[in-house]
Amino acid sequence: MEKTQVAIVGLGTVGSGVAKLLLDYGDRTARHAGRALWLEEVVVRDVNKSRVCELPAGILSNDLSRITRNPEIKVVAHLVGGLEPARSIMLKLLEGGKDVVTANKALLAEHGPELFDRARALGRSIAFEASVAGGIPIIANISTCLSANQITSLHGILNGTSNFILTQMEDRGWDYATALAEAQRLGYAEADPAMDVDGSDAAQKLAILAHLAFGARVHWRDIPRVGIDTLDGADMRYAKELGYRIKLLAVAKLERDGLELHVSPTLVRIGTPLAEVRSANNAIRVVGDAVGPVFFHGLGAGQMPTASAVVADLIDTVVGRTAITFKLLNLWSQQPPRVHPRDYSQVTGRFYLRFDVEDRPGVMADITGVLGRHGISIASVIQNEPSGDGAASVVPLVIMTHTTTEGATRAAMEEINGLVCVHSRSVRMRVDD
Ligand code: NAP
Ligand code: HSE
């Protein structure tokens, strides 16, 4: 059987899974590629590190030129995280005549235009299915399978680590730090887990999806985002009492005046598909004008789910499918954007608000007065009786609003936080009904 030589740069969580699939299931990849995918070189930073996967003798090194100088190696899985040296490595691979497959969304979200321009100029391709939602084939679905549609909205749970943490806190009563440590141990988290929990990773993935689905050219840092790192367990309990779960939701929605884009902890109604996404799973609800709503669900992080997407990209590249779609999609090109982001303050929705307030006459009137002046209508209120002997002077007040805007709720919160009856940080979260 004919064979095509491939290589891997980076043998961490994802790289080890890719090596395993190539080495242990070569018959499977050969069947789909019509030729053997022969793992010729593996390059890492530290050759002395102990590895979870066993490689054939002599293929592991820390010398990238063993790949770039070998004309027989056609495709390389680039599985190094972060921006540098990941960017320089990708440029060297492209300049060495290699097609590249990557899982690095941070790199694409930050340097997509430069890398894609370079690949086009050199006649090479970059495949990146694993960069968004791990094992879920969302890139292929949006780029090709749904190409007859104008996509009108995307609602995604795009960070496996955050979803894992939220699920463990809710189901097992774990505290935040324990759940995060376990997500790191299981290989879900980024090398810097701050990117997972502060909403940056989800914003990077949303920027990529918005680029593909809507032709938006928005930088991920310009997407309004809030993470789960400041979430209080009390709000998870109040949300449940109200019939909701809190999920880190990434939203892109096409409106008449532009594209609504945001990432934030959001109350999602229990029983709806997004609310039932558990553990490190991801999900994306896509609405297309022809197909209607479609729902994708699966593991969004972890060794083998991510390796599944990388190896599928390797096969697509080897058989020539990637070259065709790469050329046709013309991603991160000089073309002007097809849509601009909406003014975030005009984005509408219902909101969950929580205030810690003094338990005395007139407080409710003060707060509802501010909301009323900002045109915010109240849908429901929870204020439980203070526990114990009635000595508690500060009680939580939870308010669900009717539909209003980001701008109105933000301005009202600022005013309410200045009231003497309000103690500590108030909470404001979007509600997705
Ligand atoms: P990881 O476990 O930290 O592995 C990174 C690998 O890169 C290591 O093997 C490291 O070598 C290698 N490396 C670093 N600098 C290098 C250099 N200068 N030259 C050669 N190799 C170098 O990371 P990971 O979790 O596999 O993630 C890899 C990429 O996949 C990231 O972009 C991440 O965002 C993305 N991703 C990860 C997941 C997941 O579930 N983990 C899911 C989807 C996407 P040493 O081993 O010698 O240190
Ligand atoms: N750290 C990422 C996550 C890996 O937890 O979703 C997948 O991109």
Side-chain angles (χ1 to χ4, degrees):
M1 180 180 249
E2 246 188 286
K3 67 179 185 187
T4 295
Q5 292 189 10
V6 302
I8 299 175
V9 185
L11 196 67
T13 303
V14 184
S16 302
V18 172
K20 185 176 168 56
L21 286 178
L22 292 175
L23 295 168
D24 297 355
Y25 300 95
D27 51 342
R28 192 187 294 168
T29 46
R31 194 165 60 247
H32 289 284
R35 61 186 62 212
L37 268 61
W38 183 264
L39 183 57
E40 182 69 14
E41 294 283 349
V42 176
V43 172
V44 293
R45 177 174 40 197
D46 176 5
V47 281
N48 297 315
K49 221 180 202 177
S50 72
R51 304 282 162 189
V52 293
C53 65
E54 216 168 291
L55 298 174
I59 72 168
L60 185 72
S61 78
N62 57 6
D63 180 3
L64 192 68
S65 72
R66 279 174 53 163
I67 297 177
T68 52
R69 291 216 193 117
N70 182 345
E72 294 306 313
I73 296 175
K74 305 294 182 197
V75 192
V76 182
H78 170 289
L79 303 169
V80 178
L83 299 182
E84 279 297 351
R87 171 183 158 276
S88 315
I89 291 172
M90 190 179 288
L91 287 170
K92 281 182 193 154
L93 293 172
L94 294 168
E95 280 152 13
K98 315 302 174 195
D99 290 318
V100 177
V101 170
T102 188
N104 189 333
K105 70 260 132 173
L107 184 61
L108 299 184
E110 197 69 45
H111 295 297
E114 178 196 15
L115 296 169
F116 279 67
D117 272 352
R118 198 76 193 113
R120 270 188 290 271
L122 293 162
R124 304 270 50 98
S125 64
I126 301 172
F128 52 99
E129 183 61 71
S131 68
V132 180
I136 303 175
I138 189 66
I139 303 288
N141 271 282
I142 289 182
S143 319
T144 55
C145 310
L146 294 173
S147 53
N149 290 262
Q150 169 60 65
I151 290 171
T152 53
S153 69
L154 288 166
H155 286 69
I157 292 173
L158 299 178
N159 184 263
T161 301
S162 295
N163 205 57
F164 178 84
I165 293 171
L166 293 175
T167 309
Q168 303 313 319
M169 286 172 74
E170 193 185 333
D171 289 358
R172 301 197 188 184
W174 287 5
D175 61 38
Y176 175 85
T178 306
L180 172 58
E182 183 62 2
Q184 288 178 283
R185 192 187 68 78
L186 292 168
Y188 302 147
E190 297 301 306
D192 174 6
M195 302 286 280
D196 289 295
V197 294
D198 72 2
S200 300
D201 177 85
Q204 289 170 342
K205 292 167 179 168
L206 185 63
I208 294 172
L209 293 182
H211 185 95
L212 288 171
F214 302 101
R217 301 281 192 272
V218 59
H219 193 280
W220 70 271
R221 283 186 204 279
D222 296 329
I223 297 179
R225 63 188 187 285
V226 180
I228 62 156
D229 46 352
T230 52
L231 196 65
D232 190 326
D235 294 307
M236 296 178 80
R237 290 191 291 279
Y238 286 119
K240 198 168 179 188
E241 197 176 323
L242 289 158
Y244 294 87
R245 273 199 190 101
I246 298 175
K247 293 288 177 192
L248 185 66
L249 206 61
V251 176
K253 201 166 161 196
L254 201 55
E255 299 283 2
R256 270 202 309 260
D257 57 345
L259 189 65
E260 170 180 333
L261 285 169
H262 43 90
V263 173
S264 62
T266 302
L267 275 72
V268 182
R269 195 174 282 285
I270 292 172
T272 59
L274 282 170
E276 302 311 317
V277 177
R278 316 300 283 158
S279 194
N281 282 292
N282 281 189
I284 305 110
R285 180 178 189 268
V286 181
V287 181
D289 62 354
V291 72
V294 277
F295 193 77
F296 301 89
H297 178 255
L299 277 165
Q303 183 172 77
M304 297 318 290
T306 312
S308 154
V310 172
V311 174
D313 270 351
L314 287 173
I315 294 171
D316 274 0
T317 305
V318 164
V319 302
R321 276 192 291 268
T322 305
I324 299 168
T325 48
F326 188 75
K327 202 177 271 178
L328 287 174
L329 286 173
N330 206 17
L331 294 168
W332 281 283
S333 64
Q334 304 304 325
Q335 286 174 350
R338 293 204 305 274
V339 66
H340 291 281
R342 284 187 82 191
D343 173 358
Y344 190 44
S345 66
Q346 297 304 312
V347 169
T348 56
R350 296 213 308 132
F351 288 81
Y352 163 101
L353 312 174
R354 176 169 64 81
F355 311 99
D356 286 334
V357 295
E358 290 172 8
D359 187 19
R360 62 170 169 76
V363 164
M364 184 74 91
D366 288 348
I367 289 175
T368 56
V370 175
L371 294 175
R373 280 199 297 285
H374 286 274
I376 299 168
S377 171
I378 295 171
S380 67
V381 176
I382 304 177
Q383 188 196 319
N384 294 329
E385 297 214 2
S387 55
D389 56 6
S393 58
V394 176
V395 290
L397 173 67
V398 173
I399 293 178
M400 294 284 274
T401 75
H402 284 300
T403 299
T404 174
T405 64
E406 269 289 333
T409 51
R410 200 182 314 132
M413 291 295 278
E414 271 169 29
E415 205 175 311
I416 290 171
N417 282 331
L419 297 174
V420 287
C421 62
V422 176
H423 290 231
S424 69
R425 186 179 64 92
S426 301
V427 175
R428 180 177 70 104
M429 279 188 277
R430 297 185 65 83
V431 179
D432 186 74
D433 280 307

